[in-house]
Amino acid sequence: MLGPGGRVRREPMAESVGAGPASVRGIYEALDYGPAREGVGPAQAWLDAHGRSLGHFIDGKWSKPEGRETWVCKSPATGESLATTLQGQQEDVEAAVQAATKAFENWSQLPCHARARHLYNLTRMIQKHQNTFTVLESLDTGKPVTEARVCDMPLIVRHCYHHAGWAQLMGVEMRGWEPLGVVSAIIPSGSPLVLLAWKVCPALAMGNTVVALVPPTAQLSALLLAELCDQAGLPSGILNVITGAEALAGILATHPAVDAVAFAGSAELGRSLRQVTAGLGKRLSLQLGGRTPVLIFESADLDSAATGLTETLSSHQGLLLGGGAPLVLVQEAVAGALVQRLKARLGALRVGEALDRTTDVGGLVDEVWRAALQAHVDEAEAEGAEVFQAWAALPAQGSYYPPTLIIGADTTSRCIREEVFGPVLVVLPFRTTKEAIALANSTPYGLAASVWTEKLPLAMEVACSLQVGTVWINGQRMYDAAASFGGCKESGFGCNGGKEGLYEYMRPSWESRIHSRATDMNYKTFAASSSAAPFPVPGQAKDPPSGPTQEAHRPSVDRTYKLYYGGAQKRPEGLSSRPILDSTGHLMAYIADGSAKDIRNAVEAAHKAAPWWRGRSAHARAQVLFYVAENLGLRQMELTAELAALMGVTPEQAAQEVELSLERLFHWAASCDKHGGALQDTPLYGTNLLLREPLGVLGIVCPDENPLLSFISLWAPAVVWGNAVIIIPSQRYPLPALGLCQVLDTSDLPGGVLNVLTGDRDHLARTLALHQDVQALWYFGSQQGSQLMEWASAGNLKRTWVNCGARRHWEDPAQGAGEEFLSQATYCKSIWVPMGDVFAS
Amino acid sequence: MSARNPGMELDLGWISKVQVNQPAVIRHAEQIQTRRTVKKDWQAAWLLRAVTCIDLTTLSGDDTPSNIHRLCYKATHPISEDLLRVMDMHDKGITTAAVCVYPARVADSIKALKAAGCNIPVASVATGFPAGQTPLQTKLDEIRIAVEDGAREIDIVISRTLVLTGQWEGLYEEIRQFRQACGDAHMKTILGTGELGSLTNVYKASMVAMMAGSDFIKTSTGKEAVNATLPVGLVMLRAIRDFYWKTGNKVGFKPAGGIRTAKDALTWLMLMKEELGDEWLKPELFRLGASSLLADIERQIYHHVTGRYAAYHNLAMA
């Protein structure tokens, strides 16, 4: 491996294997690796037992409806045909969902321990057939068999055990939560079974039933899994697997009886699922791709970093689990040394048949990737980057691509901006830590990253500064059932694994199942402009104004309500106002009518404030909230009177709302320094930290009910967990919120952290939802508005939390201050910190 | 043995920059074991190559001319002629790379090998093996005597004291003197890695030993609590490669201690192939320090040839 390499295209070398019968004598001289093909017996026997023709697995049995097109499932590496599968149709989705719905009735009612036993039995069954799974997985996805054996299968088994455990503990640990119902799991072509296990295990453990849709081209292992569920004695219909094209995904996801959609796959399909499920009240989690930045500092163990990087090339072209090909950011001082090591390592990789135990890098999962891959490489080279390819390692035949290194591409280059699927490493130098963090964060993705350095303070600071769901310190590709794994930004949302992952498949007990129908709405025009808000014509109101009357000779001073952003009262860009009427229909005040431009300004102000705010300690953020409460207390009387007049409620009712609002501020201030993260129990020798990270800039749209309490209940948790917030108070009753702005001014809340904009609720919300630099949106308004928000959020895949028009009792702590506020205000970041330096004696 | 390593000036700046992340090294070592394998004819051929890299060793207080004689005979005929013949390997002159003994047994070994008509070198441990806690002068005398008695290779041990107290100049000077005392005999430097405290120290000691002109670096004496482990090997191979990249000089590697099974031998060969390439798979640059390993390899070969598992008494004793 020490020899020079280069992009000289050489004829692939035939090992002594290929060149006639090898002899001990010949091998003794060459000392090459011979073939070490994995025995495929058990997997082939399973396929044979099914006549090499597989159907769907629904309700505990095989189902082969008439009239379905069949698909020949081929091994991507060899082109060998393995079996035929069905191209599912709508009726198959129907049958599977029905089976799951029926199974849910019993499965969700089983005692926790019974579910735990079932899952334990399933785990044991999987372990008994590990070899079959391994080989099948390698056969139909082209994943190197060693990779499947050493990495994937233990992970799947671990997931099953771990979640059998959660099933047992559900009654204690998840009190106040209920299963969702029918979960649909949608998995892409060529993906490892791990991905499915990641969805199925927690869903089943928490009492849901599952319909999995897998592509007909691959993923025979999913069918085997379903069959084994039955063999292990699990109730029929709790896991149904159907095969079918992508087009079926939308049909399954929007099925009225499906409660949740757990998707893994391309961003494109993810976006489309977000849009088609908009407004349907379904829980959606998206596990999309990404680019894994690997940051290598001059204080790193360069050889280990180089080894780790080459190891990622064997992970089945990095598909999904770690995102696309890694983006290697290396400190300039050691860039040369790293590249030298990488070249040597790439040359020693073994590219070849997936079933050979010594294969590091298998074939391309899909031949269509080759053109895209080649285009990336050629373009980078044309732009002046150095390209190194280890041709020598390539077998003579098969859809292989040489391990490739692209050095010094521009940040504008597509090989840096886009996902690349193939054994390619792109190396980019950086100068300082600050620059490294900026480069790593300047992608739309946020899946995972690794950091290589022997300096602990550097490693931890970088890990905390990266906007990703997982950070590996001095390592790569560590996964575990107890550790959360999920993306942020355009890598999707929703986390897998650990206790956090369970919430994806549960709803608070007080919440009823929402099965709303989408409205046939025109997304282009809905709330596209601010609705006119005419002020009342004198004389048209029925009753005389109530409340304090003006003194005849001394008019009161006009009170002007403005927008509040960037820490100051701002006039609206549109220079117009909206009237606010009291409970009797009389004009009470004019408020600013905010527009899209005001949203734009507010988002900018929020982004300015966000980094500093999130960097404050939890204690400091809590202090600010307590101070807001204190100042609110001073104005309690005034707010009560205003609320009573505005809403037409009794002074007692108004007083109670103000009182509860104050309590809620205390609640979130108190929680802030209690739930920042946890340790996750993984098998790693070292530590796995779970951090709750703020999302960034969060938009909140408030409901009309309890205009003060709901307003505070919403922004307080978001702000206290380190987000900068743009909040649109109740459209009808915005005055209490605006009154609070003055309180904020005097409470040390830094400018830009909380921005309050009034106006046409849905129009402002629409602008927020379409904004590419808003990371999450909470919407508590109409069903139609909810639908629009979910649809519009697909642009940057911002996280949404909408109520689909359902009312929430804000006075009830479970509804107004539950655990879900915390999980909605943050994303989970797992930091893997391996340890060890104690050596020998 | 290959061309000798002339060494270089001590470069402390280089040594101080080293970073070794132990968890990552351990992971890499595990990867090599799971991702590489050789089967059937390949396994047999690799094992025969392993045999030619063995320094067949006896380092015991109760060594006498008779067991030294047996050892030397086994070194010259490590695998039974019948087995070799079936594989068409009988004319390849397969012997172990050397025999390795205490200085007091060098003369016995030379005599035994001469009697067997074999020219493989005798390697002698020296410099207060295994602890290295004897005065410098004694160590130097020990080397000279072993060389005078006919040892063509000297396995010296370094002073772990110098490593643990960070006296790299002292270590460099000491090894330089050992090398001078060796004269034409090739020098293998035993680091006693199990007593060096950290993988970082293993790298540094490896580098100083090569700078001082070692022809081989060797993991252990076989007498420490922890001997040749794969992570240690990986770090030493990194050092060998770095030294080669910097100076163009190839230094050999010898893991020793605890290598008992044919599988162990294969793993070490694969490690060499992966990390340094095919050139380091020959006795000129690779040795396995072992005593009982040969018996297990011969049993595996017996099985490969006959399809039956051998009893120990089927094969000649060393």
Side-chain angles (χ1 to χ4, degrees):
Chain A
M1 73 172 254
L2 294 180
R7 210 190 177 201
V8 188
R9 178 148 199 171
R10 276 182 279 163
E11 282 310 303
M13 287 197 298
E15 290 197 336
S16 49
V17 199
S23 64
V24 171
R25 214 179 159 90
I27 302 164
Y28 176 80
E29 295 302 332
L31 227 60
D32 49 10
Y33 296 109
R37 201 167 191 272
E38 184 71 38
V40 292
Q44 299 286 17
W46 182 74
L47 292 170
D48 285 336
H50 292 79
R52 301 249 165 198
S53 147
L54 299 164
H56 308 304
F57 197 84
I58 298 174
D59 203 15
K61 44 191 179 295
W62 289 97
S63 149
K64 273 194 216 165
E66 291 294 307
R68 300 285 180 275
E69 265 180 69
T70 55
W71 192 283
V72 181
C73 183
K74 285 182 182 168
S75 178
T78 59
E80 169 199 7
S81 105
L82 300 171
T84 61
T85 50
L86 296 187
Q87 189 67 269
Q89 289 185 4
Q90 188 158 0
E91 299 86 75
D92 306 335
V93 171
E94 192 59 48
V97 173
Q98 266 182 25
T101 308
K102 194 173 96 228
F104 178 72
E105 285 168 26
N106 285 323
W107 180 249
S108 60
Q109 296 307 314
L110 284 183
C112 295
H113 179 58
R115 270 200 299 272
R117 279 194 192 188
H118 276 307
L119 291 178
Y120 179 80
N121 293 346
L122 173 62
T123 314
R124 285 305 206 187
M125 189 59 85
I126 292 174
Q127 276 189 310
K128 284 170 194 158
H129 293 88
Q130 263 197 80
N131 193 38
T132 311
F133 270 114
T134 303
V135 175
L136 204 54
E137 183 88 336
S138 171
L139 271 176
D140 84 349
T141 66
K143 173 189 273 286
V145 70
T146 306
E147 181 81 8
R149 179 188 316 285
V150 179
C151 305
D152 292 36
M153 285 319 294
L155 194 55
I156 290 170
V157 168
R158 169 90 183 116
H159 264 83
C160 291
Y161 273 124
H162 184 75
H163 286 97
W166 279 124
Q168 171 72 36
L169 299 177
M170 179 181 159
V172 183
E173 295 275 341
M174 304 300 289
R175 200 163 281 151
W177 293 82
E178 279 180 3
L180 293 172
V182 176
V183 173
S184 64
I186 301 169
I187 305 294
S189 173
S191 67
L193 185 65
V194 176
L195 223 47
L196 187 63
W198 244 334
K199 319 282 175 208
V200 169
C201 294
L204 291 182
M206 293 298 105
N208 303 277
T209 54
V210 178
V211 175
L213 171 67
V214 300
T217 42
Q219 207 72 76
L220 302 176
S221 48
L223 290 165
L224 173 61
L225 179 68
E227 195 187 70
L228 286 187
C229 276
D230 189 59
Q231 266 209 30
L234 272 66
S236 300
I238 63 162
L239 174 61
N240 307 278
V241 177
I242 53 177
T243 52
E246 273 189 6
L248 224 49
I251 295 173
L252 174 61
T254 56
H255 192 288
V258 165
D259 299 275
V261 182
F263 172 78
S266 70
E268 199 188 351
L269 188 51
R271 279 204 166 85
S272 112
L273 284 177
R274 169 72 289 176
Q275 295 189 329
V276 298
T277 57
L280 296 180
K282 296 185 194 304
R283 192 75 68 83
L284 177 67
S285 68
L286 299 178
Q287 191 179 354
L288 311 175
R291 207 60 203 277
T292 308
V294 178
L295 293 83
I296 300 172
F297 291 89
E298 60 183 354
S299 47
D301 171 352
L302 293 180
D303 280 292
S304 288
T307 314
L309 276 169
T310 36
E311 202 189 301
T312 63
L313 295 184
S314 53
S315 70
H316 202 215
Q317 275 79 66
L319 185 67
L320 276 165
L321 279 177
L327 177 61
V328 185
L329 300 168
V330 57
Q331 198 149 24
E332 218 166 328
V334 293
L338 179 79
V339 165
Q340 184 181 24
R341 282 160 177 75
L342 280 175
K343 284 181 178 174
R345 291 248 161 249
L346 249 53
L349 281 173
R350 292 178 59 76
V351 184
E353 200 202 346
L355 279 172
D356 193 295
R357 285 189 226 169
T358 65
T359 291
D360 295 314
V361 182
L364 297 171
V365 174
D366 199 326
E367 187 58 28
V368 298
W369 288 359
R370 181 189 300 280
L373 200 53
Q374 193 58 49
H376 276 122
V377 173
D378 290 344
E379 243 177 76
E381 197 169 35
E383 287 162 5
E386 181 197 343
V387 172
F388 169 91
Q389 297 191 304
W391 283 102
L394 227 58
Q397 287 170 342
S399 62
Y400 299 105
Y401 196 83
T404 299
L405 204 55
I406 300 177
I407 304 145
D410 292 315
T411 44
T412 52
S413 174
R414 286 207 301 141
C415 71
I416 287 181
R417 303 289 311 163
E418 295 178 7
E419 272 189 288
V420 177
F421 291 118
V424 179
L425 294 171
V426 183
V427 182
L428 198 67
F430 67 83
R431 294 169 299 170
T432 61
T433 305
K434 198 174 168 186
E435 189 173 69
I437 294 169
L439 281 168
N441 281 339
S442 82
T443 84
Y445 306 112
L447 194 58
S450 13
V451 180
W452 292 85
T453 172
E454 294 302 298
K455 283 189 189 168
L456 184 64
L458 173 64
M460 293 313 290
E461 187 174 33
V462 173
C464 289
S465 308
L466 294 175
Q467 295 155 4
V468 292
T470 296
V471 182
W472 297 297
I473 291 176
N474 294 319
Q476 320 265 148
R477 305 198 305 144
M478 292 177 246
Y479 309 98
D480 184 55
S484 91
F485 184 78
C488 64
K489 301 207 285 190
E490 292 185 32
S491 292
F493 43 79
C495 89
N496 302 277
K499 188 172 180 183
E500 293 307 314
L502 302 179
Y503 292 106
E504 298 294 328
Y505 303 97
M506 313 222 76
R507 72 164 54 85
S509 305
W510 60 265
E511 200 176 78
S512 50
R513 267 168 105 171
I514 302 174
H515 282 166
S516 61
R517 289 188 178 281
T519 317
D520 194 12
M521 65 194 288
N522 186 337
Y523 289 116
K524 277 202 178 131
T525 55
F526 185 87
S529 56
S530 183
S531 65
F535 46 87
V537 180
Q540 279 189 355
K542 285 168 197 153
D543 300 309
S546 58
T549 51
Q550 290 178 5
E551 284 179 52
H553 56 284
R554 272 223 315 217
S556 67
V557 179
D558 175 67
R559 183 164 180 194
T560 305
Y561 292 100
K562 294 185 187 168
L563 306 174
Y564 180 76
Y565 62 80
Q569 306 279 345
K570 300 275 172 66
R571 234 179 269 287
E573 290 265 357
L575 295 177
S576 57
S577 303
R578 302 173 75 86
I580 295 302
L581 309 181
D582 65 14
S583 56
T584 61
H586 283 87
L587 182 69
M588 196 163 175
Y590 280 103
I591 56 152
D593 191 12
S595 65
K597 283 187 179 164
D598 299 305
I599 293 278
R600 176 200 65 192
N601 296 346
V603 171
E604 269 172 33
H607 271 293
K608 256 187 209 151
W612 186 80
W613 180 242
R614 61 163 288 183
R616 307 282 292 155
S617 67
H619 170 73
R621 294 195 305 262
Q623 289 290 105
V624 170
L625 221 60
F626 277 127
Y627 198 18
V628 173
E630 184 182 326
N631 286 327
L632 183 70
L634 293 176
R635 302 187 53 180
Q636 210 160 350
M637 303 284 281
E638 181 193 333
L639 275 164
T640 305
E642 195 177 50
L643 204 57
L646 185 68
M647 310 279 298
V649 294
T650 64
E652 291 73 31
Q653 284 171 317
Q656 205 213 347
E657 178 160 352
V658 177
E659 187 64 34
L660 271 176
S661 302
L662 210 153
E663 187 187 328
R664 205 132 289 170
L665 285 169
F666 259 69
H667 174 79
W668 289 117
S671 306
C672 182
D673 59 354
K674 315 290 187 297
H675 303 288
L679 275 181
Q680 304 182 118
D681 276 319
T682 69
L684 174 78
Y685 182 64
T687 307
N688 183 293
L689 296 170
L690 172 82
L691 298 188
R692 289 183 191 283
E693 295 277 359
L695 299 165
V697 171
L698 202 132
I700 300 178
V701 183
C702 299
D704 286 336
E705 64 258 20
N706 302 100
L708 181 67
L709 179 60
S710 62
F711 174 74
I712 285 179
S713 298
L714 285 165
W715 72 254
V719 161
V720 88
W721 292 110
N723 298 288
V725 168
I726 291 142
I727 189 164
I728 300 162
S730 155
Q731 178 171 329
R732 237 175 114 192
Y733 308 116
L735 297 187
L738 292 173
L740 200 74
C741 290
Q742 291 182 329
V743 173
L744 300 178
D745 263 344
T746 54
S747 305
D748 295 348
L749 189 69
V753 170
L754 182 61
N755 307 280
V756 185
L757 268 63
T758 53
D760 182 327
R761 180 190 68 193
D762 284 353
H763 175 58
L764 295 178
R766 177 191 172 97
T767 314
L768 278 173
L770 287 169
H771 201 298
Q772 289 287 106
D773 213 4
V774 171
Q775 280 70 42
L777 185 67
W778 300 355
Y779 178 91
F780 290 84
S782 65
Q783 198 282 327
Q784 277 202 318
S786 300
Q787 185 178 339
L788 175 75
M789 293 311 117
E790 292 193 326
W791 176 86
S793 70
N796 69 339
L797 289 165
K798 59 173 68 66
R799 263 170 75 170
T800 54
W801 184 25
V802 303
N803 69 336
C804 285
R807 211 189 126 90
R808 189 176 274 256
H809 295 283
W810 297 95
E811 314 85 355
D812 177 4
Q815 301 191 30
E819 285 167 282
E820 49 179 342
F821 286 82
L822 168 57
S823 33
Q824 291 290 355
T826 54
Y827 75 89
C828 293
K829 182 191 272 179
S830 274
I831 304 181
W832 293 77
V833 194
M835 66 181 183
D837 202 57
V838 171
F839 174 76
S841 50
Chain B
M1 283 227 167
S2 68
R4 302 208 56 184
N5 169 28
M8 59 176 278
E9 291 281 301
L10 179 66
D11 183 346
L12 283 175
W14 181 9
I15 294 168
S16 66
K17 272 192 291 187
V18 63
Q19 303 284 3
V20 184
N21 184 277
Q22 185 172 287
V25 170
I26 290 172
R27 184 172 164 111
H28 182 39
E30 286 165 358
Q31 294 272 332
I32 289 177
Q33 291 171 83
T34 55
R35 287 174 192 272
R36 294 291 180 265
T37 181
V38 280
K39 298 281 167 206
K40 303 199 168 97
D41 282 350
W42 279 266
Q43 194 178 82
W46 279 59
L47 286 176
L48 289 177
R49 180 69 78 82
V51 168
T52 66
C53 294
I54 292 177
D55 279 0
L56 196 61
T57 303
T58 182
L59 294 166
S60 302
D62 58 1
D63 285 341
T64 65
S66 75
N67 78 309
I68 293 287
H69 184 86
R70 269 206 315 276
L71 183 86
C72 291
Y73 187 80
K74 190 70 189 172
T76 57
H77 301 92
I79 304 290
S80 128
E81 173 94 11
D82 324 344
L83 297 177
L84 290 176
R85 200 169 283 280
V86 177
M87 293 181 287
D88 190 25
M89 290 294 289
H90 53 287
D91 58 351
K92 283 286 193 179
I94 289 178
T95 65
T96 67
V99 293
C100 181
V101 295
Y102 268 118
R105 301 271 72 79
V106 171
D108 294 340
S109 309
I110 297 277
K111 196 171 146 204
L113 284 170
K114 203 169 269 173
C118 181
N119 192 31
I120 64 171
V122 173
S124 171
V125 297
T127 70
F129 183 95
Q133 299 283 20
T134 48
L136 179 61
Q137 200 50 52
T138 320
K139 291 179 180 177
L140 293 170
D141 287 345
E142 200 182 2
I143 294 175
R144 286 190 201 107
I145 293 164
V147 173
E148 276 166 24
D149 280 357
R152 281 188 278 156
E153 299 177 5
I154 303 293
D155 288 22
I156 59 130
V157 295
I158 64 165
S159 294
R160 275 78 100 188
T161 313
L162 296 174
V163 174
L164 292 170
T165 54
Q167 302 181 61
W168 303 111
E169 293 96 337
L171 182 65
Y172 178 82
E173 277 313 316
E174 192 188 73
I175 300 174
R176 268 269 176 230
Q177 292 189 45
F178 292 162
R179 163 79 198 261
Q180 234 168 9
C182 282
D184 287 337
H186 283 234
M187 182 172 80
K188 305 192 201 106
T189 301
I190 305 173
L191 303 179
T193 54
E195 291 173 354
L196 296 187
S198 72
L199 286 179
T200 310
N201 274 350
V202 169
Y203 182 93
K204 288 180 177 175
S206 301
M207 201 48 90
V208 171
M210 289 186 288
M211 287 171 174
S214 306
D215 297 300
F216 264 72
I217 51 176
K218 173 175 168 184
T219 59
S220 348
T221 61
K223 313 285 186 192
E224 289 93 50
V226 178
N227 294 293
T229 65
L230 289 185
V232 160
L234 273 171
V235 170
M236 291 175 72
L237 296 186
R238 265 186 202 181
I240 289 174
R241 184 211 53 198
D242 287 350
F243 187 75
Y244 170 62
W245 275 351
K246 185 111 168 176
T247 68
N249 295 318
K250 295 170 188 162
V251 172
F253 175 65
K254 177 177 173 185
I259 304 170
R260 293 193 184 88
T261 65
K263 190 166 185 300
D264 291 342
L266 290 175
T267 305
W268 282 105
L269 274 172
M270 287 174 203
L271 193 74
M272 299 304 288
K273 186 176 172 78
E274 291 297 311
E275 298 299 305
L276 296 176
D278 290 351
E279 214 177 336
W280 265 267
L281 293 175
K282 294 183 176 154
E284 290 75 27
L285 288 170
F286 179 59
R287 297 291 176 84
L288 285 158
S291 41
S292 61
L293 168 67
L294 184 56
D296 192 55
I297 291 184
E298 200 178 3
R299 272 155 54 84
Q300 295 305 324
I301 296 216
Y302 180 96
H303 177 252
H304 175 76
V305 170
T306 66
R308 282 172 283 132
Y309 291 104
Y312 277 102
H313 64 250
N314 286 134
L315 304 162
M317 195 174 127

